[in-house]
Amino acid sequence: DTEVTQTPKHLVMGMTNKKSLKCEQHMGHRAMYWYKQKAKKPPELMFVYSYEKLSINESVPSRFSPECPNSSLLNLHLHALQPEDSALYLCASSQKRAGARANEKLFFGSGTQLSVL
Amino acid sequence: DAKTTQPPSMDCAEGRAANLPCNHSTISGNEYVYWYRQIHSQGPQYIIHGLKNNETNEMASLIITEDRKSSTLILPHATLRDTAVYYCIVRVYNNNDMRFGAGTRLTVKP
């Protein structure tokens, strides 16, 4: 199984709603990533978890709250979002073996297309 | 500061080789060169990576210049399904930091 599964595929929410994006992998990977991608732009790194600990936070606004409850799951909790937060949210994972050389490839999910009204 | 520079767009005829260049003149000795591609409405897909030697796999070949300041991704026989945005990324050894630049939009034409 080399799949990263993201749910839901599409989400429409109002600015006062609370919602969550979910990402799951069963490849035994120990690093998981959230990216945000606006139309016709490259993916922007948001958060990275390594061994279930937050290792990178790219100064993302607090209305985005990541959570890594175990090594297979990654959530992104959304609250009080703005219309400009509408984008494709991509999750990825990599093996992150301790002491491994930088030959780790990222496996990406298909993303959640988020629309904030 | 962008670590890589790629042409914004390229065309290639179906069945011909597609050669995608990338400049990374400030690359450090411990940074690898990675290539990913993103087909419309999908997540990015890993293609190949290398440190200083040329690399080949079932998808593509990666040619890195001797001074490591530039590289070329080669798709030997491009098909219409290779139409995508191709990203060249440099990444430090065992670092979580995988950041995408603007990429090259490759269009394969019949």
Side-chain angles (χ1 to χ4, degrees), chain A residues 46-115:
Chain A
M46 299 176 71
F47 302 104
V48 181
Y49 275 82
S50 180
Y51 292 93
E52 296 88 70
K53 294 191 188 310
L54 186 64
S55 68
I56 294 178
N57 177 344
E58 289 294 291
S59 301
V60 177
S62 59
R63 57 186 184 269
F64 295 91
S65 175
E67 178 196 23
C68 189
N70 60 57
S71 60
S72 299
L73 281 175
L74 183 66
N75 298 318
L76 186 62
H77 302 299
L78 314 172
H79 174 54
L81 294 193
Q82 304 297 310
E84 59 265 29
D85 297 321
S86 298
L88 180 68
Y89 288 84
L90 292 161
C91 173
S93 69
S94 67
Q95 193 167 15
K96 194 63 180 178
R97 291 169 293 169
R101 301 187 66 81
N103 58 357
E104 295 190 341
K105 49 189 177 183
L106 268 63
F107 291 80
F108 282 83
S110 297
T112 295
Q113 186 65 53
L114 174 67
S115 297

